[in-house]
Structures are given as C-alpha cells and as structure tokens.
Amino acid sequence: MKLYSRDLSPFAARVRLAIYAKSLPVEIHEPPGGTGSPDYRALTPIGKVPSLVLDDGTVLPESDTIMEYLADRFPDAGLRPAKAEDAARGRLLSRIADLYVIGGPSLFPHLAPEGRDQAAVDAILEEKHQALGYLNLYLSDTRYAVGDSLTGADCAVVPVLFFIAMFENVFGRELIGAHSKLEAYWASVGKDPHVQKVLAQMDAGLQAVMPKA
Ligand SMILES: N[C@@H](CCC(=O)N[C@@H](CS)C(=O)NCC(=O)O)C(=O)O
C-alpha cells in the first residue's frame, strides 16, 4: 500500500503515526505534482492529503476513513480498542479533534501580527479552549488517549495538539495547560518515540513554510 502525505498536514500525520507505531506495510510518498495538481486529482478527485492506495489500486481519501480501514485490515495492531465502549470513546476523541479543535473558524489568517483582528482571535481562542475541554473530559487518565497503548485516538489527537501548541506560542494564550488531564496527556504521549518522530516531521514542515511560527 502507498500513502500520499505531506509533513505538516495533521490529517496525513494522523495516518503516518498509525503506520510508524504499528509497523504497517505502507510506503509513504509526496503527492505527485503536489496536492490539487492534475496528476494527483487523477488519482483522487478531492485532491487532498492523505490518500491511501490499496493493493488492488483502490484510492481511499479522508483520514478518518483511512484509519477505519487500517483498523479493519490490521485487527491485531490495536488501532481500535477491543472493548466496544473504549472504541466508541476513541472515535469520539477523534471526532472532537477533527470537528471542534482543528475544525471551526481558522486562526491561520491571523498568524501575522500586522493587521491582526484581536477580537476575532480572542473569540476563536475561546472556542478552541472549549473544544480542548471536550478532549479533556473524554481522555483516559492513562499514558495514551484510551488505555495503556497507542490507538487511533492518539493518532488523531496528537497532530491537532501540535497546532494548538503552536497557537499558544504565537498568540500567548495558555490552551493545553488550561486543562489538567490534557496537559498530563500531552506530556506523557510526547515520550512515545513514534509520536516524537511525527511531531518532528510536522515541525520541519512548519519551519519550511512559516519559520517564525
Ligand atoms: N477531511 C480531510 C482533510 C484533508 C485536508 O484538508 N488536507 C489538506 C492538508 S492539511 C490538503 O491536502 N490541502 C491541500 C489542498 O486543499 O489543495 C481528511 O481528514 O483527510
């Protein structure tokens, strides 16, 4: 199988973390011609990363769909917790990360201090604060998001927290540290070598496009 990915994308990083942590047999490549290019759109009309090319040539876009496929295809890898209730909580954490933490109004247009609309920034930061509270509520009190080993929920939450940590630096507002369970989670999951690898890749991707961030 082949994953089309870019270093900085939190959605692609989600799948890369699963591949590294679970030693899945997937090659990782940049999209041919870049995201949105005619060559890449010929493969996947949505034109975004990640996309996964299966052994039969089927191309799957959308990180959530790819993660569900990998959990089904490699049931012994532990991407999905065995107990139904834990699996549901893992999906819920991934969904909160997608819809409320990285989703919603974007802080990216406000990164440069010149002409920044501070009232808009404060309103968005408050929304992110609330969304992080939802993560805090549903996280386990353990090293990983659900239980004692890395699952798909960690793969979704870690890359999103990378951006939240970046927003903390840029805007000077405490976000992760404002939620005690989330703060402890970020510190403990950060000791995982696969998490460190993906965060370093994202950081390299960020430095390439926004050195000041
Ligand atoms: N909902 C999609 C989002 C994917 C996405 O937005 N990818 C961005 C990078 S973070 C992308 O490829 N953007 C390039 C483009 O829109 O041309 C997923 O979960 O995979």
Side-chain angles (χ1 to χ4, degrees):
M1 284 187 283
K2 192 189 274 191
L3 180 78
Y4 288 114
S5 165
R6 301 204 68 176
D7 279 353
L8 184 56
S9 164
F11 308 103
R14 174 181 184 178
V15 183
R16 291 201 308 277
L17 180 52
I19 292 169
Y20 299 143
K22 305 299 182 182
S23 304
L24 303 181
V26 182
E27 291 173 17
I28 299 174
H29 294 268
E30 290 267 320
T35 50
S37 70
D39 281 354
Y40 190 51
R41 278 191 193 275
L43 280 165
T44 171
I46 297 177
K48 297 188 178 196
V49 287
S51 68
L52 182 72
V53 186
L54 310 188
D55 291 337
D56 69 0
T58 304
V59 182
L60 280 185
E62 292 297 321
S63 59
D64 192 64
T65 303
I66 294 170
M67 291 297 293
E68 288 294 318
Y69 172 78
L70 293 175
D72 289 335
R73 173 82 171 70
F74 302 102
D76 298 332
L79 281 172
R80 186 185 294 134
K83 211 171 135 198
E85 290 75 15
D86 290 343
R89 195 153 54 81
R91 286 197 186 94
L92 180 58
L93 285 163
S94 302
R95 198 144 170 87
I96 290 169
D98 254 11
L99 292 181
Y100 303 110
V101 184
I102 203 76
S106 176
L107 284 164
F108 286 99
H110 306 281
L111 286 180
E114 301 82 33
R116 180 182 291 163
D117 178 348
Q118 193 58 46
V121 168
D122 290 344
I124 301 172
L125 286 172
E126 187 52 34
E127 283 193 34
K128 300 297 175 202
H129 171 73
Q130 286 190 14
L132 293 169
Y134 309 150
L135 283 184
N136 191 68
L137 182 64
Y138 294 108
L139 278 171
S140 296
D141 260 328
T142 49
R143 177 169 176 199
Y144 291 97
V146 182
D148 291 317
S149 61
L150 185 142
T151 65
D154 299 286
C155 299
V157 171
V158 161
V160 157
L161 291 184
F162 170 89
F163 280 102
I164 293 296
M166 188 264 270
F167 295 145
E168 282 185 325
N169 282 339
V170 170
F171 299 113
R173 169 160 176 178
E174 186 179 55
L175 290 166
I176 297 173
H179 304 277
S180 57
K181 224 192 314 173
L182 186 64
E183 185 180 31
Y185 167 74
W186 187 228
S188 65
V189 82
K191 293 184 186 134
D192 182 299
H194 306 293
V195 167
Q196 288 172 358
K197 177 173 175 172
V198 166
L199 292 177
Q201 291 173 340
M202 292 183 77
D203 199 43
L206 181 66
Q207 296 309 317
V209 291
M210 283 183 255
K212 285 188 188 155

